[in-house]
Amino acid sequence: MESTLTPPWPLWRRIGFRFAFAYLLLMFNPISFLEIIPGTSGIMEVLNAPLLFLTEKFNQYFLHIAHPLVMPNGSGDTSFGWAVMYTTLLLALLITIVWSLTGRKTMQYHRLNYWLCIVLRYTLAMVCFMYGIQKVFALQMPFPNMSQLATPLGDFLPMRLSWMFLGYSTPYQVFSGAAEVLAALLLLWRRTVTLGALVAFGVMVNVAMLNLSYDIPVKIYSIHLCVVSGYLLWQERRRLIHFFLLNKPAAASVLFTHTFPKKWMRIGRVVAKTLFVVVAMGMATVGAIEYYMVVQEESVKKLPPIKPDMYEIEYWVQNGDTTRASFTNDGPWKDVVFDYNGQGSINAVDSMFRVRYGRSYFSYQPDSTGKTLAFRKMAFDSLPIFTLSMQWPDSNSMLLHGVIRKDSVMMRLRRMHRHFQLTEKQFHWLSEANR
């Protein structure tokens, strides 16, 4: 029961809160915290089943966004993502109508608002920390690999351009990650929640603008994170206006001042917060460190006798017919990049491989004797697309021959010792010219 000692809320605020409470709890379900615990995927599937069912029915009879709906697949802005958002909006509207008709006697919702802000505060802290710690270790946006450096700039999509822009500068990526981690840490303590919400709002608005401006498919989620941080700031609007705009004294915040009358409640609060920090943030940190060590090892991993570099195809013999396969359109492939960690690409559009930005990406693996080279579409594929015999006439030349698409093929590749100026990571305090 709400306190009768505080003044009643105006009608618009009561209706607005009912909608915000329903929508934000549906969108940021506190039960989702279970996802950080290993082995809970089955439980989450059961708990999410009702919303999935309603989303499919709403889409079938009302929304008609797409059929069938495309589930999240690395993109959060799939037809399913939009259908979930619209379904949540409709459910929140229905809940608001029913709640407003049945709860007309309740004049304010301070206690419910307190618990809503608790859920949003810790959800925002967890998201900021998980994304931020990845950036602190420069893991979210990797430095452009050799295949990307060999791709003409105009062939990239906006998202990949932005990813390489951020991944190019490790200091900038670490800086942006540190801002997210700072926001998360500030959100953990009641005295610094407002400052944490301000930092989070600034960070998330920047993230949302990047997603909108560069067509990065996390628009729905990033905009909602702006809404969450904005909601927390809205609770402190009078204090913020007094401090920043009116140059007046700002009263102490009472938003998260809540008395727990029983001892077990006070102990439970401390235990829950400690578990959140240790489990959620601790696991995220440990996972980032482990992934960082793997990435550092793989980024310099060579697979002898392949020498990572860009290789020009000097000639190509197919079924006995010799063609010159240089940087013109005379040959099937123009150049091949053998990058570190068994990844590579071909300057061609070949459907056998993963075609992106005008290049065909593959995974390669030489055998233990260094005499054959297996090409796979993905590194985890059990069977190669094809395997070619390999010879090294000299230190900079490679001969590959075998069968590709039932055709007998032999090609000679020459190592180009290609240097990309972008890899130098130049920085000048003194710049005598505009480069």
Side-chain angles (χ1 to χ4, degrees):
M1 189 148 206
E2 297 292 345
S3 172
T4 58
L5 300 177
T6 55
W9 289 3
L11 180 62
W12 68 266
R13 186 179 176 188
R14 279 176 277 152
I15 295 175
F17 171 78
R18 292 162 187 158
F19 175 79
F21 185 87
Y23 182 78
L24 291 174
L25 282 188
L26 286 171
M27 186 59 70
F28 296 95
N29 190 338
I31 300 176
S32 62
F33 279 106
L34 290 174
E35 292 179 341
I36 63 177
I37 303 175
T40 59
S41 58
I43 298 175
M44 292 306 302
E45 287 181 7
V46 173
L47 295 174
N48 290 328
L51 181 59
L52 177 60
F53 174 79
L54 288 173
T55 298
E56 292 176 344
K57 292 303 178 183
F58 271 58
N59 180 67
Q60 181 180 353
Y61 294 108
F62 302 107
L63 301 175
H64 306 295
I65 295 175
H67 184 75
L69 292 172
V70 177
M71 301 297 289
N73 50 21
S75 166
D77 297 338
T78 62
S79 53
F80 177 81
W82 285 102
V84 167
M85 190 192 75
Y86 289 129
T87 300
T88 305
L89 278 170
L90 290 171
L91 288 174
L93 283 172
L94 291 172
I95 293 172
T96 302
I97 293 170
V98 174
W99 193 354
S100 298
L101 292 175
T102 58
R104 287 176 290 182
K105 293 182 179 181
T106 305
M107 294 291 105
Q108 38 87 1
Y109 295 98
H110 289 292
R111 187 172 298 177
L112 279 180
N113 188 50
Y114 167 80
W115 288 110
L116 174 62
C117 289
I118 287 288
V119 171
L120 297 181
R121 169 185 158 193
Y122 281 94
T123 298
L124 186 61
M126 182 174 69
V127 173
C128 284
F129 190 85
M130 292 180 70
Y131 277 99
I133 200 67
Q134 292 288 318
K135 294 187 183 74
V136 166
F137 287 94
L139 296 173
Q140 189 175 3
M141 293 89 169
F143 188 83
N145 59 39
M146 202 181 305
S147 295
Q148 291 172 329
L149 293 170
T151 303
L153 180 65
D155 287 340
F156 285 113
L157 292 173
M159 175 187 168
R160 190 54 50 193
L161 177 63
S162 70
W163 230 245
M164 292 190 299
F165 158 74
L166 294 168
Y168 168 79
S169 175
T170 299
Y172 181 78
Q173 185 175 177
V174 172
F175 169 78
S176 60
E180 293 180 337
V181 170
L182 175 63
L185 296 178
L186 291 172
L187 286 166
L188 292 178
W189 282 272
R190 285 174 286 178
R191 293 183 179 182
T192 57
V193 167
T194 303
L195 179 57
L198 280 169
V199 176
F201 185 75
V203 168
M204 289 307 162
V205 167
N206 180 60
V207 171
M209 282 304 300
L210 281 171
N211 294 342
L212 292 168
S213 302
Y214 288 88
D215 194 30
I216 301 173
V218 202
K219 304 176 190 68
I220 298 174
Y221 193 55
S222 60
I223 291 173
H224 279 82
L225 291 174
C226 292
V227 171
V228 168
S229 52
Y231 186 87
L232 293 175
L233 291 176
W234 175 257
Q235 311 305 311
E236 306 282 14
R237 60 193 179 280
R238 290 187 178 87
R239 299 177 60 243
L240 294 172
I241 291 172
H242 278 202
F243 183 82
F244 287 107
L245 299 179
L246 301 181
N247 196 28
K248 291 183 178 180
S253 174
V254 294
L255 176 61
F256 293 101
T257 301
H258 187 79
T259 302
F260 293 92
K262 297 184 179 181
K263 185 177 180 180
W264 70 267
M265 294 180 178
R266 295 191 291 272
I267 295 175
R269 172 184 167 275
V270 174
V271 170
K273 186 171 184 175
T274 302
L275 285 174
F276 176 85
V277 173
V278 173
V279 176
M281 295 186 169
M283 289 180 62
T285 304
V286 171
I289 293 173
E290 292 177 347
Y291 185 41
Y292 174 79
M293 295 174 66
V294 171
V295 169
Q296 290 298 106
E297 180 182 353
E298 291 184 346
S299 63
V300 295
K301 184 179 179 182
K302 298 180 181 180
L303 301 180
I306 300 295
K307 303 175 180 67
D309 206 334
M310 188 172 182
Y311 290 75
E312 176 188 5
I313 297 180
E314 291 189 312
Y315 66 79
W316 176 290
V317 180
Q318 184 168 329
N319 296 327
D321 182 16
T322 303
T323 61
R324 184 73 180 177
S326 62
F327 289 96
T328 67
N329 293 322
D330 297 334
W333 298 351
K334 301 170 188 176
D335 63 71
V336 181
V337 168
F338 291 102
D339 213 335
Y340 293 90
N341 193 32
Q343 302 299 314
S345 68
I346 302 163
N347 188 0
V349 177
D350 195 320
S351 60
M352 284 190 300
F353 306 106
R354 294 172 284 130
V355 179
R356 304 187 73 186
Y357 321 118
R359 294 189 72 89
S360 301
Y361 285 75
F362 60 87
S363 176
Y364 68 89
Q365 178 65 56
D367 71 338
S368 57
T369 64
K371 294 182 179 180
T372 64
L373 188 62
F375 289 75
R376 289 177 170 81
K377 195 169 186 177
M378 303 291 290
F380 49 77
D381 289 346
S382 58
L383 296 175
I385 305 172
F386 55 83
T387 300
L388 301 178
S389 297
M390 177 171 50
Q391 295 176 335
W392 291 85
D394 55 66
S395 60
N396 292 316
S397 297
M398 182 194 315
L399 282 177
L400 296 176
H401 58 91
V403 177
I404 303 177
R405 287 197 183 99
K406 299 181 180 180
D407 293 319
S408 174
V409 171
M410 182 175 70
M411 66 186 90
R412 182 185 178 101
L413 293 80
R414 177 166 292 277
R415 189 179 179 191
M416 299 173 63
H417 297 280
R418 183 72 164 86
H419 172 68
F420 296 98
Q421 196 168 349
L422 196 63
T423 60
E424 295 176 4
K425 295 190 176 182
Q426 298 181 4
F427 177 83
H428 304 86
W429 285 113
L430 176 64
S431 296
E432 304 288 14
N434 186 15
R435 287 175 295 280

